[in-house]
Every structure is written in structure tokens, then in C-alpha cells.
Amino acid sequence: MTKCLISGAETETFLSFGKMPIANGFLEAKDYPNEHFFELKVGYCPESKMVQLTELVDEKKMFHENYAFFSSTSRRMAEHFRRFAESVRETFFASSEDPFVVEIGSNDGIMLQNFANAGIRHLGIEPSANVAQAARDKGIETISEFFDQKVAERIVAQKGQADAFLAANVMCHIPYLHSVMAGIKTLLKPKGVLVFEDPYLGDIIEKTSYDQIYDEHAFYFSVTSIEYLVSRHDLEVIDVIRQPVHGGSMRYVIGHKGARPVSENVGRQRAFEDQLGLHDPETYRKFAKNVAQSKNDLLELLNGLKRQGQRVGAYGATSKSTTVTNYCGIGPDLVEFISDTTPIKQGKFSPGTHIPVVPHEVFAKNPPSHTLLFAWNHAEEILAKEQQYRENGGKFLLYVPKVHTL
Ligand code: SAH
Ligand code: TMP
């Protein structure tokens, strides 16, 4: 049994994927002997309702000067963050004379560039030094640190309190969330807001998108579990807004308790979660069964294609794909290569099962008959880009919400 990182109560482990490597640990063949593996297991806490990993990987093993994920590889995400920034400015900056915005996990500046370009005071906090440097190169003020309560206190002393504290796809990465929330409590002005978004547990359960589960994602949030967490820091969820990105995300707006009106969305979503069974351990047992079924279906499809002598490649060397390839046992015998536009991943091999990662040109020059879409969360953008491939008879294989061919 493992204790909940939020409540301290015992968690119930409901799913184990076995040995897993670092999801973003794309590597060279010479580094195979040193590859780090851990036990990927997920538990549910009946007290805080928080779904979480029960064994964690040291953050310095995941976030460092060779971090492989550059946010700006997706045009659609750049547009998403432009609108995110615009809504923050319109909704929360109107009454502030010299607004100040802080973002953690700011990566290569995909969100903060929208504030920097408008001349708004900003600060990015990004521990992965290479992506932080990419942001600085664009003129975005960024410090390379892991955010916690101490860092927050230093920022307040040096720069004062913030009008908005933003976080996208990073809050769920941080195991020490009590320190983070205490820091945010200190950092926010009396009317300041925390706005963050992460993949939504409701979507993961409904779509069996088990590939959201990997080392970096310590938590799988719901409105209910976030309310449990923030209420311990005298903060309050004032709005929740579903987002279509990353296979279904939730944006949470949080203020100091009583400082702002609470939207009806919050109660509505809480009721939806109850209905969906997110507070019933049986839901998680069912999810585990669906995950095993998804694995069987995908392997049946890939093995069938192999028997027919078809060529199968993959698209998007995502961190999510590390869970799929290692859990299902998909190596270069079933998938020839993974096409990816990120230079730091190209020429390397996928973590654990060692499928070669190649630039998109390799895919375009000699396309396989079938392409497993690991970046299914970017399907719209990718299918539009690869219209010609499909017109020429190429097929995409997807496994969310169920294994199917496009
Ligand atoms: N916000 C971007 C990047 C998400 S990836 C986007 O949505 O595309 C998560 C990022 O969080 C990584 O760049 C990682 O280095 C950073 N990160 C991890 N732990 C952190 C912490 N404690 N404080 C600040 N950033 C952190
Ligand atoms: P993500 O799902 O974590 O956002 O990662 C997407 C990965 O897919 C990233 O490595 C970039 C890659 N990618 C492509 O290779 N081509 C594309 O058109 C898109 C949108 C992403």
C-alpha cells in the first residue's frame, strides 16, 4: 500500500503496467545498458479522490538540459495558448495597472510569448535548461528552477505578487503539490488567480486513454480532487472549463477563498463526476479491464498486418507512446519507425522497445501502408497535413477510444 501524496490516506492500486522506462527518454543505442526502469502503477485515494502514481521517478531524471519535449512543435497548441493568454488578459487584467503574470512549466515560451510581445511583466519558471533557453532566445524572461514554496517566496520578495499564475500540463507533474499550492497562495495578489489545465481524468476513463499514464504524470486530476487539494490552502475553485486539447483537458480557475464569485460550472462538473463513477473504486477496476482489452485489440491488429506482409510505421514520438509500446510489447518488429518533427528525438530510439525515430522526410519519401498514430491528440492537425498520404491509400491506425483504422 502507498500513501496518498495529498491526503496521506492509503491508496488502492488498481492498475500496473509493469516495468517502464522514462517516457521522454529517447536515447542512442550506446545508452541502452544505462536505461532507467521503474514500476508504473496507478492508485486511487478514497479520501482525496486523487488518482496518482504509486511509484515516482526522481524529477531530475525527467527534466534536465536535454529535455525532449518542445511545446512549440504543434501549431494548434500555439493557437490554443494564444487564446488562453488572451482570455486571461481580458478576464483578469482589466483592473490592474501593471499586471504581472507567472507561469510554471513555461517550456519554450509557447504561452508567455503572448504576454511578452504585449509588453506585459512576466516570469517563466522552467527547470529543463534547454527549453528554458529557447524561451530566453525569444526574449521571454525565464528562470531555470523547480517551482515550490521557497521559489515563490523569493519571487514575491524580488518582484512582488502576481495577478495571474498559469500552468499548462505541469501541475499534474509535481508530486509536492502542497508546497506548490502554499507558494501560489503567497504569490497571488488578493484578487489574483491561478489558472491551470491538465489532461482530465473523466476523459481518460471514458476514452480508455491509458497512454496519459506515464512517469511525468504523477496525478490524474478531477474537479473533486482539485477542490480537496486547494481547500487545504484557503483557496477555492471558482470555475472549470473543459478543453479539447491533449485528448480532453480541464482548465481550473482558482482564487483566494471568498475573493471572487464561484461559477455554476463547478457544482455541475462535480455532479457529473459523481455520475461517471469517479468516486467509486469499481470504476477503476473496470478501467483496468478496458486497458487490457485495448492492448489485446491493438496487438491483434498489428500482428495481423505483419502476417499480411504490410509495412507499419508510426507518427509522433510522444511521451504517451512509451506506455503503449512498453505495455503492449511493440518494438521494431511490429513498427518500422516513428516519424517525428522534433530534431532532438530524431536519430534516437524510443524508450524501452527501441524503435528508430526518424524525421518526417523519411515517412514522406517511402510511406508505409499503415501508420500507427501515437500523436492521436493532434489527429485533426496531422490528418489535415497528411491528406495526400490517405488519398494514396495510406491508413492511420488509432487506439483511442477504441482500436480502429482511418
Ligand atoms: N506548458 C507547456 C509544457 C508542458 S511539459 C505545454 O503545455 O506545452 C511540462 C514542463 O514542466 C516541462 O518543460 C518541465 O521541465 C516543467 N516542470 C516540471 N516540473 C516543474 C516544476 N516543479 N516547476 C516548474 N516547471 C516544471
Ligand atoms: P505530444 O502529444 O506530447 O504533444 O507530442 C507530440 C509529438 O508529435 C511531438 O514529438 C511532435 C510530434 N509531431 C509531429 O511529428 N508532427 C506533427 O504534425 C505534430 C502535431 C506533432
Side-chain angles (χ1 to χ4, degrees):
M1 292 293 252
T2 311
K3 293 221 169 6
C4 171
L5 292 160
I6 304 304
S7 72
E10 295 290 348
T11 57
E12 297 168 15
T13 300
F14 60 86
L15 183 54
S16 176
F17 292 98
K19 288 270 173 238
M20 277 287 157
I22 306 282
N24 260 312
F26 296 89
L27 71 174
E28 294 175 21
K30 71 170 171 47
D31 295 323
Y32 290 167
N34 303 323
E35 204 169 4
H36 178 80
F37 287 87
F38 72 105
E39 211 48 63
L40 183 64
K41 290 175 296 186
V42 208
Y44 164 74
C45 171
E47 164 69 19
S48 65
K49 317 290 185 234
M50 191 65 89
V51 172
Q52 58 201 282
L53 297 189
T54 53
E55 186 178 324
L56 295 168
V57 172
D58 176 11
E59 59 188 1
K60 292 191 188 70
K61 277 201 161 68
M62 300 185 283
F63 310 115
H64 42 61
E65 66 286 0
N66 289 312
Y67 187 54
F69 180 70
F70 282 70
S71 299
S72 297
T73 46
S74 165
R75 277 233 222 98
R76 183 167 166 246
M77 288 310 293
E79 174 56 21
H80 172 78
F81 287 123
R82 189 188 65 71
R83 276 188 269 122
F84 188 146
E86 194 175 84
S87 85
V88 168
R89 285 176 60 186
E90 280 173 2
T91 321
F92 302 113
F93 285 5
S95 57
S96 187
E97 271 185 13
D98 177 24
F100 176 39
V101 55
V102 175
E103 190 196 3
I104 56 170
S106 47
N107 201 278
D108 59 9
I110 192 166
M111 167 103 80
L112 281 184
Q113 64 190 357
N114 299 291
F115 295 95
N117 293 344
I120 292 171
R121 266 202 314 136
H122 63 274
L123 179 67
I125 302 161
E126 174 47 68
S128 296
N130 58 338
V131 294
Q133 189 53 45
R136 275 184 223 110
D137 292 344
K138 295 179 197 163
I140 299 159
E141 198 175 332
T142 308
I143 55 170
S144 252
E145 293 196 60
F146 288 96
F147 180 80
D148 62 8
Q149 189 173 4
K150 276 211 187 102
V151 174
E153 282 161 6
R154 215 177 60 227
I155 296 171
V156 175
Q158 291 171 353
K159 298 186 177 274
Q161 287 179 311
D163 295 83
F165 186 101
L166 311 181
N169 307 302
V170 54
M171 207 61 100
C172 71
H173 292 47
I174 311 180
Y176 40 93
L177 277 184
H178 283 304
S179 170
V180 168
M181 285 300 159
I184 293 170
K185 178 80 191 166
T186 325
L187 195 48
L188 286 182
K189 288 183 185 171
K191 286 272 183 193
V193 285
L194 156 65
V195 190
F196 76 95
E197 63 185 39
D198 280 293
Y200 180 51
L201 178 64
D203 284 293
I204 297 174
I205 296 295
E206 282 192 305
K207 298 176 187 161
T208 318
S209 44
Y210 69 88
D211 57 348
Q212 294 286 4
I213 302 170
Y214 56 89
D215 55 0
E216 292 184 17
H217 292 169
F219 297 107
Y220 306 85
F221 296 144
S222 62
V223 172
T224 313
S225 60
I226 288 300
E227 286 194 303
Y228 182 96
L229 167 70
V230 304
S231 66
R232 264 127 198 96
H233 297 273
D234 209 25
L235 294 163
E236 182 173 44
V237 178
I238 56 174
D239 204 359
V240 293
I241 311 149
R242 287 183 91 150
Q243 304 293 325
V245 297
H246 288 308
S249 293
M250 184 64 80
R251 184 176 298 168
Y252 307 85
V253 186
I254 288 157
H256 292 291
K257 193 165 172 49
R260 287 177 177 271
V262 176
S263 157
E264 284 177 4
N265 291 341
V266 181
R268 214 179 292 136
Q269 197 63 31
R270 207 187 295 126
F272 169 81
E273 293 181 350
D274 219 11
Q275 234 177 16
L276 190 60
L278 294 189
H279 312 142
D280 178 1
E282 184 53 28
T283 301
Y284 299 102
R285 284 179 218 127
K286 225 184 272 162
F287 174 71
K289 280 194 196 137
N290 292 341
V291 171
Q293 184 65 48
S294 174
K295 169 181 173 170
N296 287 343
D297 292 350
L298 182 58
L299 282 176
E300 201 174 291
L301 177 65
L302 292 177
N303 283 317
L305 289 169
K306 189 180 168 183
R307 275 196 302 275
Q308 293 166 22
Q310 303 278 6
R311 281 182 58 218
V312 180
Y315 206 105
T318 59
S319 29
K320 292 185 289 296
S321 69
T322 296
T323 297
V324 178
T325 50
N326 286 274
Y327 171 59
C328 300
I330 299 170
D333 55 324
L334 289 178
V335 168
E336 253 178 57
F337 61 75
I338 310 174
S339 161
D340 199 287
T341 52
T342 318
I344 196 174
K345 295 180 185 173
Q346 296 164 355
K348 294 192 177 145
F349 295 86
S350 71
T353 65
H354 305 155
I355 304 169
V357 182
V358 302
H360 182 260
E361 293 71 38
V362 174
F363 170 86
K365 215 168 153 189
N366 186 14
S369 57
H370 294 75
T371 301
L372 184 53
L373 187 54
F374 282 141
W376 56 267
N377 48 313
H378 300 290
E380 207 182 317
E381 181 173 352
I382 292 169
L383 292 178
K385 242 190 261 184
E386 302 299 345
Q387 213 177 329
Q388 192 63 47
Y389 169 67
R390 289 175 72 206
E391 279 169 13
N392 294 342
K395 299 258 187 279
F396 276 103
L397 313 176
L398 284 96
Y399 44 85
V400 174
K402 284 201 159 27
V403 173
H404 62 288
T405 303
L406 275 185

